[in-house]
Amino acid sequence: MNKIRRLFVYVTIISVMIFAACAAVYADSSSGTIGTDISWTLDEEGNLSITGTGDIPDYNYSGSPFFAKDIIKTITVGDGITKIGSYAFYRCKGLETVTLPPSVESIGDYAISECDNLRTVTFPEGLHKIGYSAFSRCKNLEAIILPDSLQELGEYAFYECTGAATLRLPVSMKKIPRHSFYECSSITAVVFPDDLETIEWSAFYGCRGITVIDLPDGLKTLGDSAFASSSVRNLVIPDSVEEIGVDAFANSDELRSVKLPDALKKIPSGAFSICCKLKSIEIPSGVDEIGYGAFYGCTDLKKAVIPASVKKMEYCFGECFGLDEVYFEGDFPAPLNGSFYACNLTAYYPADNETWTEDILDSGYGGKVKWIGYCASHVEGAAVKENNKAATALAAGSYDLVTYCEKCGTEISRKTVTVKKLTPTIKLSAAKKTLKKGKSYTLKVTGLAKGDSIKSFKSSKPGVAKVSAKGKITAKKKGKAVITVTLKSGKTAKCTITVK
């Protein structure tokens, strides 16, 4: 029994010691200092308060005192703190809210990255820099409202912030760095700054919530995969754009139409590949190369016109199963390898162009192609009217409808079209008129259809009211008479004359 009591006492003492040690550890971790000028406290509810002056320093991967502290729910940084250092709050997975003061000028690399439950961040006016991957994989961040003071946004800054529905960019931003909003799939709209010049590699890759892209005039470069896998529907790329990157809009499966810049020289590889709802594309006349697979898998595309400026194209229309017609306007654009892979279409080429040899026309370039040389085929045409004979109220008209080839002027077809004669019309200056005996009135006739004229004036009672061949009515004696005007077309009109 004594042994049991002694064991109980020992267990009790050890438990008290462990509890005291844990309490001491908690007490040590509930407050502290960073350098000599910054202090912090963490209460039992997970509210972290940081006060003082100067920079929260940069840390390595796990060197911060707050690294992976899931207990932290909110962070409030006091005025006077000028920097949030690299990895300062990395992987604080319980963190929900961050409030930053106007004194904070920069946020370091990975500073608040992989905080799964972070919902709101107050970005102060006065903030100049957000570092590399600073908020990457904060998947529940609701809005990204960047201040106009921001001068530098790091690559991958908001990478895979999949919950962010709102994005506001600084008005003076000139460059959107690579992967900065990669897979921010909940963003529905972006207002781009007027001064924006560059959108880098994969900046908006996978932003499937974006259905409208209003790119600013002055934009120069769209990087590789800049808007790949987006949901944009109708795309207008401003004429200021000089370069479009590889796969820039690839896998944008809601894209219906594209307007390319007039000065564009190259459509790069995969630029619009697997845009399966793309129905039309106008290739600017200055383009000299269509890259590998540029329109691969655009299954709704029906027609393509290849301007004479294109000197090279390869595998560009593979698996465009809906493509029916392709028109080449210039020389054979070598090598053309695989450009019509798995397609079944008719291709038209300029028959008088010596670069289109028999060997070239023997190939389907990966598909089944029927080659037709124009103008023998007259695949394009412009309709005009010739020998016009205008219709009148007396006779039908006609004209020759002639279709000419737009490329060489050869007459394609001619047919005579008949136009019905015009409907006769007439208007008298009076339908009724009262005259005193001996007085006169000239009946005016207007509103005649083209080609019509007056055939006769006739009085029903010349003894009461006489009418001349020019419509002058003279009252003879008391009574009523009806004046009938007859046109050459047969149309008539009447005026009743009462003589008193």
Side-chain angles (χ1 to χ4, degrees):
M1 179 63 75
N2 289 334
K3 289 183 179 180
I4 295 175
R5 287 178 180 174
R6 283 197 298 271
L7 180 60
F8 176 78
V9 171
Y10 292 153
V11 170
T12 302
I13 292 171
I14 290 170
S15 298
V16 170
M17 291 174 64
I18 292 172
F19 177 80
C22 291
V25 170
Y26 178 80
D28 288 343
S29 63
S30 64
S31 64
T33 59
I34 300 173
T36 57
D37 298 319
I38 298 176
S39 300
W40 60 269
T41 59
L42 176 62
D43 66 22
E44 294 179 359
E45 295 180 353
N47 300 310
L48 176 64
S49 177
I50 300 176
T51 58
T53 58
D55 295 349
I56 297 175
D58 294 329
Y59 297 97
N60 59 24
Y61 173 79
S62 59
S64 167
F66 312 110
F67 169 73
K69 279 194 177 295
D70 295 349
I71 190 176
I72 298 175
K73 301 298 182 186
T74 69
I75 298 174
T76 303
V77 179
D79 201 18
I81 304 298
T82 52
K83 176 183 177 180
I84 308 299
S86 298
Y87 290 99
F89 305 107
Y90 184 60
R91 288 192 176 176
C92 292
K93 295 187 179 295
L95 180 61
E96 297 178 358
T97 303
V98 176
T99 303
L100 302 176
S103 58
V104 170
E105 297 178 353
S106 67
I107 300 172
D109 301 345
Y110 292 96
I112 313 178
S113 179
E114 297 190 29
C115 297
D116 292 355
N117 286 305
L118 180 63
R119 297 184 181 280
T120 60
V121 178
T122 303
F123 295 101
E125 196 65 42
L127 180 65
H128 298 316
K129 177 182 178 181
I130 295 176
Y132 183 98
S133 201
F135 294 90
S136 62
R137 293 196 172 100
C138 292
K139 296 184 177 181
N140 283 296
L141 187 62
E142 295 172 350
I144 303 170
I145 310 297
L146 301 178
D148 289 335
S149 59
L150 189 68
Q151 298 172 1
E152 183 179 347
L153 180 66
E155 296 174 353
Y156 291 80
F158 295 93
Y159 179 90
E160 290 188 357
C161 290
T162 55
T166 303
L167 171 61
R168 180 195 182 278
L169 299 171
V171 295
S172 60
M173 179 173 276
K174 292 184 180 294
K175 180 180 75 172
I176 299 176
R178 66 184 182 124
H179 289 86
S180 47
F181 302 102
Y182 181 99
E183 289 284 6
C184 290
S185 54
S186 295
I187 293 175
T188 56
V190 183
V191 177
F192 293 100
D194 291 340
D195 295 335
L196 186 66
E197 296 180 354
T198 303
I199 299 175
E200 289 191 341
W201 175 25
S202 296
F204 293 94
Y205 178 96
C207 292
R208 290 201 169 273
I210 298 176
T211 58
V212 177
I213 299 174
D214 187 8
L215 298 171
D217 293 333
L219 183 69
K220 295 180 180 179
T221 303
L222 280 166
D224 295 352
S225 300
F227 289 94
S229 296
S230 72
S231 294
V232 62
R233 297 192 175 189
N234 300 293
L235 176 64
V236 176
I237 301 176
D239 288 338
S240 57
V241 172
E242 301 168 353
E243 181 181 352
I244 297 175
V246 171
D247 295 332
F249 296 91
N251 294 292
S252 295
D253 50 18
E254 293 296 325
L255 187 62
R256 268 88 164 164
S257 66
V258 176
K259 169 64 173 65
L260 295 171
D262 290 339
L264 191 67
K265 296 300 182 184
K266 178 180 179 180
I267 301 174
S269 299
F272 300 97
S273 60
I274 318 181
C275 293
C276 55
K277 292 184 181 178
L278 182 62
K279 296 183 180 299
S280 64
I281 182 68
E282 182 177 343
I283 300 171
S285 59
V287 169
D288 55 29
E289 181 178 347
I290 303 175
Y292 193 101
F295 299 98
Y296 184 90
C298 293
T299 53
D300 269 8
L301 194 62
K302 301 296 183 185
K303 174 183 173 182
V305 178
I306 312 301
S309 58
V310 175
K311 304 303 181 187
K312 179 181 179 181
M313 54 189 286
E314 192 172 11
Y315 288 94
C316 52
F317 294 105
E319 294 194 14
C320 291
F321 300 125
L323 190 61
D324 295 322
E325 299 175 316
V326 177
Y327 301 91
F328 291 92
E329 296 185 329
D331 293 351
F332 172 67
L336 207 63
N337 294 338
S339 286
F340 305 124
Y341 174 76
C343 296
N344 187 350
L345 56 85
T346 301
Y348 302 93
Y349 66 96
D352 57 351
N353 186 310
E354 295 180 355
T355 66
W356 293 88
T357 65
E358 290 186 9
D359 289 343
I360 287 171
L361 301 175
D362 281 342
S363 175
Y365 298 96
K368 184 179 180 181
V369 178
K370 179 182 179 182
W371 292 98
I372 298 179
Y374 59 80
C375 287
S377 62
H378 308 301
V379 297
E380 293 283 3
V384 296
K385 292 180 180 180
E386 291 185 355
N387 304 320
N388 289 349
K389 179 182 177 183
T392 69
L394 305 179
S398 65
Y399 62 85
D400 291 338
L401 180 62
V402 188
T403 303
Y404 293 96
C405 177
E406 291 177 332
K407 301 194 186 307
C408 70
T410 301
E411 182 178 310
I412 298 171
S413 64
R414 179 185 293 267
K415 66 177 180 178
T416 300
V417 179
T418 300
V419 180
K420 292 180 180 180
K421 66 180 181 180
L422 304 180
T423 301
T425 55
I426 185 172
K427 183 177 180 182
L428 302 181
S429 57
K432 295 179 181 180
K433 191 72 177 178
T434 300
L435 298 174
K436 291 183 178 181
K437 182 180 176 181
K439 296 296 181 178
S440 63
Y441 171 75
T442 299
L443 187 63
K444 295 180 180 180
V445 180
T446 58
L448 304 187
K450 184 178 180 179
D452 213 349
S453 60
I454 299 169
K455 180 179 180 181
S456 65
F457 290 93
K458 184 177 180 181
S459 174
S460 62
K461 294 180 180 181
V464 175
K466 182 181 177 181
V467 64
S468 72
K470 294 186 177 182
K472 184 177 180 180
I473 302 168
T474 303
K476 293 293 187 179
K477 67 177 182 179
K478 291 183 178 181
K480 287 188 177 183
V482 176
I483 307 300
T484 300
V485 183
T486 302
L487 303 181
K488 286 186 178 181
S489 63
K491 180 76 172 178
T492 62
K494 299 180 184 296
C495 176
T496 300
I497 302 297
T498 301
V499 181
K500 292 186 178 181

